[in-house]
Amino acid sequence: MMALLCLGPSVVQAQERQGVKVEFLGTNNTMIRITGEGKYLMLPIQDNGEEATLNLLVDGKQEKNFTARLAKNKVDYMVPLDLSSYRGKHIILDVISNQSRATVREAQGDACWKNIAMSDTFDISNREKFRPAFHHTPDYGWMNDPNGMVYADSLWHLCYQWNPYGSKWANMTWGHATSRDLIHWERQEPTILPDGLGMIFSGSSAIDHHNSAGFGKDAIVTLYTSAAASQMQSLAYSTDGGNTFTKYPGNPVITMETEARDPNMFWDEAHQQWVMLLAHALEKEMLIYTSPDLKQWTLASRFGKGMGAQGGVWECPDLFELPVSGSTGNEKKWALVCNLNPGGPFGGSATQYFIGDFDGTTFKADTDTTGTIPTKWMDYGKDHYAAVSWSDAPNNRRTVIGWMSNWQYAAEVPTLQYRSANTLPREMGIFKDTDGQYYLSSTPSPELEALRGGLHHQSRRFSLGKSDNTISLPTHNDGICEILVDLEARKGQVLTLTLANKAGERVVLTYDSDKETLAFDRTQSGIVNFSQDFPAVTVAPTHRHNGKLSLRIFVDRSSIEVFEKEGRLAMTNLVFPNSPYTELSLKCSKGKAKISNLKVYSLNTKTK
Ligand code: FRU
């Protein structure tokens, strides 16, 4: 008898569960057919896994193409793919994993397949101990730059670079939140989604008061970068107050041979034109364009080649005019904001700016007494990036918000459900210092005073010596608080303020009145070992020259922002203490220094 060997085609292995049928088509291709009801397909993610490419096919037509780190060994968290608008249709998710698998059987063992399911709900309740209590964060997923900020119909719109499918950078989409008071942020549907021209990188919005583009009077107009193989600039608009956006069919409106991104525009009333700055990233310059209608753009001038900090790519520009505080007459100056990565003063990303004059075509930066253009920083911490301002803010306010992280380690910080928060919103001003130079000032937006809960501590005036003067910090709401203090040092005195917890984790602020600097040491602040770039000491010039320094310090669950009372100094640093700081200790290196108006407010939690 001859044994019959059957070598026919192998049968596709399938697993069926909770509204999905998973078919294994090969070592790196799996097809998920939606067989049941539900609003979301829940995707299991392994935060450090490799990216798979996912194609969403609805009745055979590709609706979405995105990447996700589908879980191989363990599921760190789930993300929802909203399928509600395709009900009743044939839905297939075609997954191409880029991981090499020796056999189909091995591919079948991946953790994600056991967890993929349809669901009507997605739980966004916070699971993170480090999630800020009064800073904006996305409910889930990765966030970087703030985008398209505009004030319209009493609402502050804040869009942001968002990955809806994981807590690392990918699939750039404009997430969207709105607020009436810059404290409570309400999540809205994402405004601008990737399309055939690519992902949606950073950009800006403004109100078209004159209907210059023809989309309607007071339409919200938006310029953003379409990013795929190249970077191009595209236009979109909203005629329903920023709820939904329509992309201009003639996109892209600007193309070029080199990388350029993050268009930031404003209506220039004096010259009846739109002015737009575009970061010519690798050339480390800003391109200045003008347009009558947002569609036809003319390159008017270039700014910045070889100027200021040049250690990294130039990104996320902004340009605005402000009155000079304390000036007699009506002196005004222009500020050109240029975010830079890397090349910041303490490594990685940071926000530099130039002060000068703008005539509708050209920006001319002020020089110092030696004829050079000085490098100026908006914030002297490590975690202040992509800062740009709101358009059309009320009362001529120039309100700025940044991304509170650093490209050096943003993807590694110890959170999972979401990654990154925004800084506190800040009001910009311009002041002239004794060196004859103009500088930007940053003060916390006045709305933030409403966060104050009880006055936890108050001491009016005392002298400070070499031994620690220690007060307790509030403990409820995980110790979130605002600290105000006036320091008065004499020559040669160095004052330290230490925030510490029982485990000895601490942040040390050092005021050196001779050097006129304030330093922020987070080397022992808590969890610091997720990146060698995280432990750091950042140092700021105080721009105060009489030994007196009034500080305002905001302590949230994973950040500390320090401001000089008049905004002459701002410093933003993330911290990840294993438990909240419970004590504040002050001391002086020698002699006696004066401390007055030390106040600690506990703060209310207002945001997610
Ligand atoms: C700045 C940046 C921008 C770009 C965006 C992409 O952080 O690199 O230049 O538009 O992030 O997410």
Coordinates of all heavy atoms in Angstrom, one line a residue, residues 371-402:
G371 N 26.5 95.0 18.4 CA 26.0 94.8 17.1 C 25.6 93.4 16.8 O 25.2 93.1 15.6
T372 N 25.6 92.5 17.8 CA 25.1 91.1 17.5 C 23.7 91.0 18.0 O 23.2 91.7 18.9 CB 26.0 90.0 18.2 OG1 26.3 90.5 19.4 CG2 27.2 89.7 17.4
I373 N 23.0 90.0 17.3 CA 21.6 89.7 17.7 C 21.6 88.7 18.9 O 22.1 87.6 18.7 CB 20.8 89.2 16.5 CG1 20.7 90.3 15.5 CG2 19.4 88.7 17.0 CD1 20.2 89.8 14.1
P374 N 21.2 89.1 20.1 CA 21.3 88.2 21.2 C 20.3 87.1 21.2 O 19.2 87.2 20.6 CB 21.0 89.1 22.4 CG 20.3 90.3 21.9 CD 20.6 90.4 20.4
T375 N 20.7 85.9 21.8 CA 19.7 84.8 21.8 C 18.9 85.0 23.1 O 19.5 85.1 24.2 CB 20.5 83.5 21.9 OG1 21.3 83.4 20.7 CG2 19.6 82.3 21.9
K376 N 17.6 84.9 23.0 CA 16.7 85.1 24.2 C 15.8 83.9 24.3 O 15.4 83.4 23.2 CB 15.9 86.4 24.0 CG 16.8 87.6 24.0 CD 16.0 88.9 23.6 CE 17.0 90.1 23.5 NZ 16.4 91.3 23.0
W377 N 15.5 83.5 25.5 CA 14.6 82.3 25.7 C 13.4 82.7 26.4 O 13.4 83.4 27.3 CB 15.4 81.2 26.5 CG 16.7 80.8 25.8 CD1 17.9 81.2 26.1 CD2 16.8 79.9 24.7 NE1 18.8 80.7 25.2 CE2 18.2 79.8 24.4 CE3 15.9 79.2 23.9 CZ2 18.6 79.1 23.3 CZ3 16.4 78.4 22.9 CH2 17.7 78.3 22.6
M378 N 12.3 82.1 26.0 CA 11.0 82.4 26.6 C 10.8 81.8 27.9 O 10.1 82.3 28.8 CB 9.8 82.0 25.7 CG 8.5 82.6 26.0 SD 7.2 81.8 25.1 CE 7.2 82.8 23.6
D379 N 11.5 80.6 28.1 CA 11.3 79.9 29.4 C 12.7 79.1 29.6 O 13.3 78.6 28.6 CB 10.2 78.9 29.2 CG 9.9 78.1 30.5 OD1 10.7 77.2 30.9 OD2 8.8 78.3 31.1
Y380 N 13.1 79.1 30.8 CA 14.4 78.6 31.1 C 14.3 77.2 31.8 O 15.2 76.8 32.5 CB 15.2 79.5 32.0 CG 15.9 80.6 31.2 CD1 15.2 81.8 30.8 CD2 17.2 80.5 30.7 CE1 15.8 82.8 30.1 CE2 17.8 81.5 29.9 CZ 17.1 82.6 29.6 OH 17.6 83.6 28.9
G381 N 13.3 76.4 31.5 CA 13.2 75.1 32.0 C 13.5 74.1 30.8 O 13.8 74.6 29.7
K382 N 13.4 72.8 31.0 CA 13.6 71.9 29.9 C 12.3 71.5 29.2 O 12.3 70.8 28.2 CB 14.3 70.6 30.5 CG 15.8 70.7 30.6 CD 16.5 69.4 30.7 CE 16.6 68.8 29.3 NZ 17.7 67.8 29.1
D383 N 11.2 71.9 29.8 CA 9.9 71.3 29.3 C 8.9 72.4 28.9 O 7.8 72.6 29.4 CB 9.3 70.4 30.4 CG 10.2 69.3 30.7 OD1 10.5 68.5 29.8 OD2 10.8 69.3 31.9
H384 N 9.4 73.2 27.9 CA 8.6 74.2 27.3 C 8.9 74.3 25.8 O 10.0 74.7 25.5 CB 8.9 75.6 28.0 CG 8.2 76.7 27.5 ND1 8.5 77.4 26.3 CD2 7.1 77.4 28.0 CE1 7.7 78.4 26.1 NE2 6.8 78.4 27.1
Y385 N 8.0 73.8 25.0 CA 8.3 73.7 23.6 C 7.0 74.0 22.7 O 5.9 74.0 23.2 CB 8.8 72.4 23.2 CG 9.5 72.4 21.8 CD1 10.5 73.3 21.6 CD2 9.0 71.6 20.8 CE1 11.1 73.4 20.3 CE2 9.6 71.7 19.5 CZ 10.6 72.6 19.3 OH 11.2 72.7 18.1
A386 N 7.3 74.4 21.5 CA 6.2 74.6 20.5 C 5.3 75.7 20.9 O 4.1 75.6 20.6 CB 5.5 73.3 20.2
A387 N 5.7 76.6 21.8 CA 4.9 77.6 22.3 C 4.5 78.6 21.2 O 5.3 79.2 20.5 CB 5.6 78.3 23.4
V388 N 3.2 78.8 21.1 CA 2.6 79.8 20.2 C 1.4 80.4 20.8 O 0.9 79.9 21.8 CB 2.3 79.2 18.8 CG1 3.6 78.9 18.0 CG2 1.4 78.0 18.9
S389 N 0.9 81.5 20.2 CA -0.2 82.3 20.9 C -1.5 82.1 20.2 O -1.7 81.6 19.1 CB 0.2 83.8 20.8 OG 0.2 84.2 19.5
W390 N -2.5 82.4 21.0 CA -3.9 82.4 20.5 C -4.1 83.6 19.6 O -3.7 84.7 19.8 CB -4.9 82.5 21.7 CG -5.5 81.2 22.1 CD1 -6.5 80.6 21.6 CD2 -5.0 80.4 23.2 NE1 -6.7 79.4 22.3 CE2 -5.8 79.3 23.3 CE3 -3.9 80.6 24.1 CZ2 -5.6 78.3 24.2 CZ3 -3.8 79.6 25.0 CH2 -4.6 78.4 25.1
S391 N -4.9 83.4 18.5 CA -5.3 84.5 17.6 C -6.6 85.0 18.2 O -7.4 84.3 18.8 CB -5.7 84.0 16.2 OG -4.6 83.3 15.7
D392 N -6.9 86.3 18.0 CA -8.1 87.0 18.3 C -8.5 86.9 19.8 O -9.7 86.9 20.1 CB -9.3 86.4 17.5 CG -9.0 86.5 16.0 OD1 -9.4 87.6 15.4 OD2 -8.4 85.7 15.3
A393 N -7.5 86.8 20.6 CA -7.7 86.8 22.1 C -8.4 88.1 22.5 O -8.1 89.2 21.9 CB -6.5 86.5 22.9
P394 N -9.2 88.1 23.5 CA -9.9 89.4 23.9 C -9.0 90.4 24.5 O -7.9 90.0 25.0 CB -11.0 88.9 24.9 CG -10.4 87.6 25.4 CD -9.6 87.0 24.3
N395 N -9.4 91.6 24.5 CA -8.6 92.7 25.2 C -7.2 92.8 24.8 O -6.3 93.1 25.6 CB -8.7 92.6 26.7 CG -10.1 92.4 27.2 OD1 -11.0 93.1 26.7 ND2 -10.4 91.5 28.1
N396 N -6.9 92.6 23.6 CA -5.5 92.6 23.1 C -4.5 91.7 23.8 O -3.3 92.0 23.9 CB -5.0 94.1 23.1 CG -5.7 94.9 22.1 OD1 -6.0 94.4 21.0 ND2 -6.1 96.1 22.5
R397 N -5.1 90.7 24.5 CA -4.2 89.8 25.2 C -3.3 89.0 24.2 O -3.8 88.7 23.1 CB -5.0 88.8 26.0 CG -5.6 89.4 27.2 CD -6.6 88.5 27.9 NE -6.0 87.3 28.4 CZ -6.7 86.5 29.2 NH1 -8.0 86.6 29.5 NH2 -6.1 85.4 29.7
R398 N -2.1 88.7 24.6 CA -1.3 87.8 23.8 C -1.0 86.6 24.7 O -0.1 86.6 25.5 CB 0.0 88.5 23.4 CG 0.8 87.8 22.4 CD 0.1 87.2 21.2 NE -0.4 88.3 20.3 CZ -0.9 88.0 19.1 NH1 -1.0 86.7 18.6 NH2 -1.4 89.0 18.3
T399 N -1.9 85.6 24.6 CA -1.8 84.5 25.5 C -1.2 83.3 24.7 O -1.5 83.0 23.6 CB -3.3 84.1 25.9 OG1 -3.9 85.3 26.4 CG2 -3.3 83.0 26.9
V400 N -0.2 82.7 25.4 CA 0.6 81.7 24.8 C 0.5 80.4 25.6 O 0.3 80.4 26.8 CB 2.1 82.1 24.8 CG1 3.1 81.0 24.7 CG2 2.4 83.1 23.7
I401 N 0.6 79.3 24.9 CA 0.6 78.0 25.6 C 1.7 77.1 24.9 O 1.9 77.3 23.7 CB -0.8 77.3 25.7 CG1 -0.8 76.2 26.8 CG2 -1.2 76.7 24.3 CD1 -2.3 75.8 27.1
G402 N 2.3 76.3 25.7 CA 3.4 75.4 25.1 C 3.1 74.0 25.3 O 2.1 73.6 26.1

